[in-house]
Amino acid sequence: MHDRFGVAVIGGGPGGLAAAIEARRNDAGRVLVIERNERPGGILPQCIHNGFGGDIFGQDLPGPLYAQRFIDEAVQNGVEFQSDTMVMGLDSDLTIHAASRRNGYIALKAGAVVLAMGCRERTRAQVRLPGTRPAGVFTAGTVQRLVNIEGYMPGKRFVILGSGDIGMIMARRLTIEGAGVVKVIEILPFLTGLRRNYVQCLRDFDIPLELSTTVNRIIGRERLEAVETVRVDPELKPIPGTEAMIPCDSLLLSVGLIPENELSLRAGVELDPVTGGPKVDERMATNMPGIFAAGNVVTIYDLADEVSKAGYIAGRSAAEYARNGHGGGGDTVDIVPGENVRGVVPHRVNIREGLDTGVVLSFRVSRPIEGKAVIEVMHGDTLAASVRKPFARPAEMLSVHVKLKEINRSDKNITVNVRAADGE
Amino acid sequence: MPEEKREFVCISCPRGCEITTVLDGKSIVSVSGNICKLGVKYVEDEVTDPRRIVTSTVRVRGGVTPLAPVWTEQSIPKGMILRLADGLRKVEMTAPVKCGDVVLENIFGTGINVVASGEVDVK
Ligand SMILES: Cc1cc2nc3c(=O)[nH]c(=O)nc-3n(C[C@H](O)[C@H](O)[C@H](O)COP(=O)(O)OP(=O)(O)OC[C@H]3O[C@@H](n4cnc5c(N)ncnc54)[C@H](O)[C@@H]3O)c2cc1C
Ligand code: SF4
């Protein structure tokens, strides 16, 4: 075992970079980012479209440029990097086991660790698409990598399954690169990505979107030849007689992201089955002392800006832990999803005397509310906060800011509900 | 000229406000549904001269990756998007590429440049 670091960050995406910068600014001593790719930046170097940085820089930047600003800032702040290095294990005493082509196996010890491994895509196996297994069925991120980084166009005529941001952005990207996109189909009765992406990626290029429709069958031997689509009822069951055949050579699956937590699990970090990420408190601390988490490893955020902000919090808390061997502690209050709410982050808050800066609760609704919506934060039976929004859609993460001072009893849970604002 | 109602979704920020406007020919009579001023600007542009930022890639010789990401620093008229994409497929840069390196100057006489939005190191 050689070097000892104040804070070690696993993953060099926007979450990890922000955590490392903030850890340095908070006197964590030596701060290291370990990244399995050649360069830090996470998923952003392949997200060449704009739409990043509105919150943090007040500017609309492409992904690689957004990442570069953080990389430059990290370097200026004295963050050290170990790229091309894969972390294989993390022990509860904060020893990191990693391997790289250059150095082989290495073990590192850190005063605190930030998990920032991001997420991975759901694959065909996870959506159980029936049919043969020809070439030409890809996840959207794979095609994004091929087209934007490797310079290779894997098909001529695409059908895209899933109306999330990645699917829509790839529809535009493929069109700009001269490939045909026949249509985007979505099993749910509503768009699952941001509407600005619907406007700029589909409508601008006359790419049709078909809601309440899914892929029924994949057809082709060596290479995909067609997909059979089918409309679904409100229970998402196929409606017989609505089958349609679309000739195509490629099917892009954009069917969701899953936080990447094999490492966290092995380190003893408790996960939330709903978000798929670690259960954290308002400091982004997990249940394991000294292990913090930031970004898509915790929950799938809509925007890199939000990931960076969570990274700042995790970095600050990790620095505090590395300096004092603790942070927070004491009584916590659990935060639980209530009516029409999925996966609230953080999962608990520490009750601390005099802390009145408040905490931001982030979550998604399960069902869209197209009219005015009310978010109610209940502490036991008491209304702790109530915030109105013009609408609430599963595609868009909602956030409310709650004051901690008013929440000083640990025997009662905090519950978040979202319902339609009636009587208006 | 009869007044006409048109619906827009503002793309200036991720909120995506649904904006309803009443138009009299090309002049705007009223705008509603926007949360901030950017929404009004967006609708004005969308009615008279719709523009978009364009992002794409160009080939790079001698780099660790074969492509560099590029973007138009300002938005260009919507009608030029595919023509620009075609033009960019013919461009080749040489590594190293730094953010802000100019790829194409004054495209279609708009005064707008295409610049690199990421870095490519030398192989
Ligand atoms: C296609 C697409 C389009 C998007 N569009 C937008 C947009 O327009 N605007 C916007 O704001 N956001 C957008 N996002 C969201 C944004 O990109 C993500 O929220 C953000 O990148 C998440 O950052 P992260 O740091 O959590 O994870 P990542 O960026 O995924 O970074 C995680 C890093 O950890 C590394 N890693 C993982 N495991 C290990 C290990 N064991 N050892 C070493 N390293 C490891 C990975 O290699 C990776 O570099 C988009 C996302 C995608 C996928
Ligand atoms: S009107 Fe303002 S708040 Fe609404 S989408 Fe446009 S920029 Fe965003």
Side-chain angles (χ1 to χ4, degrees):
Chain A
M1 228 170 272
H2 352 264
D3 300 335
R4 199 192 146 88
F5 291 90
V7 171
V9 178
I10 306 175
L17 290 169
I21 292 167
E22 194 66 4
R24 280 291 298 168
R25 285 194 201 128
N26 285 272
D27 308 318
R30 291 182 69 189
V31 172
L32 177 72
V33 174
I34 308 172
E35 168 57 54
R36 69 179 165 203
N37 292 334
E38 299 263 347
R39 267 178 78 89
I43 197 79
L44 298 186
Q46 74 179 57
C47 300
I48 61 164
H49 59 280
N50 56 310
F52 298 84
D55 246 21
I56 287 189
F57 299 115
Q59 266 177 300
D60 183 10
L61 305 173
L65 191 49
Y66 179 88
Q68 194 60 43
R69 293 210 178 167
F70 278 89
I71 295 168
D72 292 345
E73 199 177 343
V75 170
Q76 278 156 22
N77 278 282
V79 171
E80 298 167 60
F81 286 92
Q82 183 97 243
S83 290
D84 214 359
T85 303
M86 172 93 184
V87 174
M88 299 174 308
L90 168 64
D91 299 339
S92 53
D93 71 348
L94 308 183
T95 303
I96 293 172
H97 306 276
S100 74
R101 246 173 298 178
R102 200 163 350 123
N103 304 323
Y105 167 80
I106 47 172
L108 299 163
K109 184 100 171 106
V113 172
V114 178
L115 306 170
M117 291 90 72
C119 59
R120 63 186 137 80
E121 289 183 286
R122 289 172 70 190
T123 61
R124 175 175 175 184
Q126 283 154 317
V127 285
R128 299 206 185 83
L129 288 181
T132 51
R133 305 191 62 85
V137 181
F138 308 96
T139 62
T142 302
V143 173
Q144 188 178 50
R145 199 180 161 82
L146 290 172
V147 174
N148 292 349
I149 306 259
E150 320 279 346
Y152 174 72
M153 175 57 74
K156 289 197 179 73
R157 201 177 145 85
F158 289 81
V159 169
I160 297 178
L161 178 60
S163 67
D165 293 319
I166 311 181
M168 293 194 286
I169 282 167
M170 284 314 294
R172 170 178 64 184
R173 182 69 190 127
L174 292 166
T175 307
I176 282 187
E177 281 304 329
V181 178
V182 190
K183 61 172 62 166
V184 176
I185 58 183
E186 167 61 55
I187 192 167
L188 295 173
F190 47 82
L191 190 75
T192 63
L194 298 173
R195 280 188 313 167
R196 66 187 304 209
N197 284 332
Y198 170 67
V199 173
Q200 301 181 92
C201 299
L202 304 189
R203 220 164 58 185
D204 274 0
F205 298 94
D206 299 318
I207 299 168
L209 168 69
E210 228 175 87
L211 299 173
S212 298
T213 302
T214 190
V215 169
N216 198 31
R217 208 147 55 92
I218 285 176
I219 300 151
R221 289 201 163 275
E222 296 292 305
R223 176 81 193 197
L224 184 68
E225 284 158 24
V227 294
E228 186 185 81
T229 62
V230 67
R231 295 189 57 79
V232 297
D233 64 17
E235 268 82 59
L236 307 185
K237 297 239 167 57
I239 305 171
T242 60
E243 294 85 0
M245 197 70 90
I246 311 178
C248 59
D249 63 12
S250 303
L251 174 66
L252 227 77
L253 303 176
S254 173
V255 289
L257 302 168
I258 316 167
E260 172 89 58
N261 278 290
E262 275 64 28
L263 264 183
S264 324
L265 265 182
R266 269 180 275 150
V269 170
E270 188 194 353
L271 302 186
D272 173 354
V274 177
T275 56
K279 287 191 172 179
V280 291
D281 68 10
E282 81 285 1
R283 302 164 306 134
M284 305 306 285
T286 69
N287 62 308
M288 296 299 288
I291 302 182
F292 299 80
N296 280 354
V297 84
V298 179
T299 186
I300 305 300
Y301 289 87
D302 298 336
L303 296 176
D305 297 61
E306 293 157 1
V307 166
S308 301
K309 285 193 218 159
Y312 286 142
I313 297 174
R316 206 174 308 144
S317 311
E320 189 184 330
Y321 187 91
R323 286 197 318 266
N324 313 333
H326 83 99
D331 285 343
T332 58
V333 178
D334 282 341
I335 305 169
V336 293
E339 190 186 323
N340 195 17
V341 169
R342 284 175 55 79
V344 184
V345 170
H347 301 77
R348 53 183 169 261
V349 287
N350 291 281
I351 300 173
R352 281 184 286 179
E353 209 75 50
L355 183 68
D356 61 1
T357 47
V359 49
V360 177
L361 308 182
S362 303
F363 51 88
R364 288 177 200 278
V365 291
S366 325
R367 287 172 283 106
I369 298 176
E370 284 304 335
K372 289 202 175 64
V374 195
I375 304 170
E376 281 175 2
V377 181
M378 306 293 295
H379 180 227
D381 300 329
T382 324
L383 186 69
S386 147
V387 178
R388 277 166 189 268
K389 297 273 173 182
F391 54 80
R393 303 190 181 111
E396 286 157 59
M397 193 178 257
L398 295 170
S399 297
V400 281
H401 192 229
V402 207
K403 288 275 164 67
L404 271 181
K405 224 190 197 164
E406 296 141 25
I407 297 167
N408 50 11
R409 294 266 314 269
S410 60
D411 56 340
K412 290 176 177 165
N413 286 343
I414 294 172
T415 314
V416 185
N417 303 310
V418 182
R419 55 174 71 102
D422 34 33
E424 280 188 65
Chain B
M1 204 177 274
E3 292 195 346
E4 175 208 1
K5 227 172 146 180
R6 260 181 82 184
E7 310 281 340
F8 293 89
V9 174
C10 178
I11 61 171
S12 310
C13 90
R15 185 187 284 267
C17 292
E18 263 174 72
I19 305 181
T20 304
T21 54
V22 177
L23 297 174
D24 190 349
K26 280 210 161 182
S27 59
I28 295 169
V29 179
S30 70
V31 175
S32 59
N34 56 304
I35 290 198
C36 75
K37 282 187 305 208
L38 286 178
V40 181
K41 173 88 173 67
Y42 172 74
V43 168
E44 283 169 3
D45 291 346
E46 209 56 12
V47 170
T48 53
D49 175 22
R51 285 171 177 257
R52 298 287 184 268
I53 296 270
V54 179
T55 60
S56 192
T57 51
V58 297
R59 296 261 153 208
V60 177
R61 201 179 316 148
V64 286
T65 53
L67 298 179
V70 300
W71 70 316
T72 56
E73 279 184 302
Q74 284 143 44
S75 48
I76 64 164
K78 232 166 97 171
M80 293 179 184
I81 298 177
L82 292 177
R83 257 202 295 157
L84 174 63
D86 274 341
L88 288 171
R89 273 197 287 279
K90 298 179 188 100
V91 175
E92 194 176 54
M93 300 179 80
T94 304
V97 176
K98 294 270 169 226
C99 290
D101 285 357
V102 177
V103 179
L104 282 180
E105 244 172 291
N106 185 18
I107 42 169
F108 310 122
T110 53
I112 294 166
N113 299 336
V114 175
V115 304
S117 58
E119 310 214 322
V120 181
D121 299 333
V122 178
K123 187 152 59 184

